[in-house]
Amino acid sequence: LTSSYIRVFELIHTLVSWTYLYGVTVTRFGNIQALLHVPWDLAITVTLSSFVAAAVQASPFVFIYHYRL
């Protein structure tokens, strides 16, 4: 993947993370029962996080950068 695609996925990951945090701290504040199930935005956040990490570590630019150091 190119750098621009990785940046777009990272932006989506950040936006979904913020929606999860807003939901936990504002929308479902004080609702203990809401903590018992996994919301959709947390599941997408974990999935995108692992996808971005794998894409960044497999990027050829990382190997070139480390080789130059």
Side-chain angles (χ1 to χ4, degrees), residues 46-67:
V46 172
T47 305
L48 282 175
S49 176
S50 60
F51 179 73
V52 168
V56 166
Q57 292 177 3
S59 175
F61 301 114
V62 174
F63 297 121
I64 294 169
Y65 179 72
H66 285 295
Y67 179 72

Side-chain angles (χ1 to χ4, degrees), residues 30-58:
N31 186 0
I32 304 299
Q33 295 295 327
L35 297 174
L36 296 177
H37 81 285
V38 178
W40 65 271
D41 40 10
L42 181 61
I44 291 175
T45 300
V46 172
T47 305
L48 282 175
S49 176
S50 60
F51 179 73
V52 168
V56 166
Q57 292 177 3

Side-chain angles (χ1 to χ4, degrees), residues 1-10 61:
L1 289 174
T2 62
S3 177
S4 59
Y5 288 123
I6 293 173
R7 289 181 185 185
V8 168
F9 283 124
E10 187 62 36
F61 301 114

Side-chain angles (χ1 to χ4, degrees), residues 10-24 40-42 44-46 48-49:
E10 187 62 36
L11 175 67
I12 295 169
H13 170 257
T14 303
L15 293 174
V16 174
S17 297
W18 277 105
T19 60
Y20 169 71
L21 288 174
Y22 183 82
V24 168
W40 65 271
D41 40 10
L42 181 61
I44 291 175
T45 300
V46 172
L48 282 175
S49 176

